[in-house]
Amino acid sequence: MKITTIFCSTLFAAFVAVSCSTNTNTAKLKPRTDVSISNQNWYLVTDSDVVKGLYNKEVSLIINETNSTVSGFSGCNNFNATLSKSNGAISFGNISETKMACPNLKEEQAFLSMLKNVNRYEVIGNELHLFKDNILLLTFKTT
């Protein structure tokens, strides 16, 4: 129960913080869409903290531009999706996931719902910003 509470609180804080804040370190860098976002582990972050799910595992995704697919961990379950990407536009479709019974499924479904709504991206430094039009939905960081 404690892990669920921590995960839920962290995921909610991530959504609020990412949607409402600007990181001063990345504000100086020019957003890019001409860099590869493939074959890297992208970890969901709030400011600089990585969001963790069940068993303290990082919420993450891996994009494979060659196969037009995405896979990752959404807090409790693993997921797969199709990817469409071109000139700064990006979308995730046909999202499927494993069906583990977890106490934090509402937060996981919120995360996957946000992924479904993404239609634009920018890379700023080592961060991947996913947007719905001009609204920042999710921020991921790679190492």
Side-chain angles (χ1 to χ4, degrees):
M1 184 66 157
K2 185 177 180 182
I3 290 174
T4 301
T5 303
I6 291 169
F7 175 74
C8 295
S9 298
T10 304
L11 189 58
F12 179 74
F15 294 148
V16 171
V18 167
S19 296
C20 299
S21 70
T22 300
N23 187 332
T24 57
N25 293 334
T26 58
K28 299 173 191 171
L29 300 174
K30 183 179 177 186
R32 299 182 61 182
T33 58
D34 60 342
V35 295
S36 176
I37 57 175
S38 256
N39 303 319
Q40 301 176 58
N41 289 313
W42 293 101
Y43 300 102
L44 181 65
V45 294
T46 62
D47 291 328
S48 62
D49 296 327
V50 175
V51 177
K52 297 194 177 190
L54 197 61
Y55 307 117
N56 212 28
K57 185 176 175 183
E58 295 91 355
V59 176
S60 62
L61 55 86
I62 298 173
I63 296 170
N64 185 324
E65 292 179 76
T66 304
N67 295 333
S68 298
T69 59
V70 177
S71 61
F73 179 69
S74 52
C76 173
N77 289 287
N78 293 312
F79 71 93
N80 292 293
T82 58
L83 169 75
S84 177
K85 178 182 161 290
S86 176
N87 299 323
I90 192 168
S91 63
F92 305 95
N94 300 321
I95 297 175
S96 63
E97 59 189 299
T98 56
K99 298 294 181 190
M100 288 180 48
C102 300
N104 57 342
L105 286 176
K106 287 182 183 178
E107 291 76 17
E108 181 175 77
Q109 290 305 315
F111 168 75
L112 293 173
S113 178
M114 290 179 107
L115 269 184
K116 289 178 190 174
N117 284 302
V118 168
N119 63 6
R120 187 172 74 80
Y121 79 99
E122 293 177 352
V123 176
I124 303 174
N126 66 341
E127 293 183 351
L128 173 64
H129 298 263
L130 301 178
F131 296 85
K132 168 72 174 169
D133 300 321
N134 289 325
I135 300 170
L136 179 62
L137 298 179
L138 300 164
T139 298
F140 293 85
K141 187 175 259 188
T142 190
T143 52

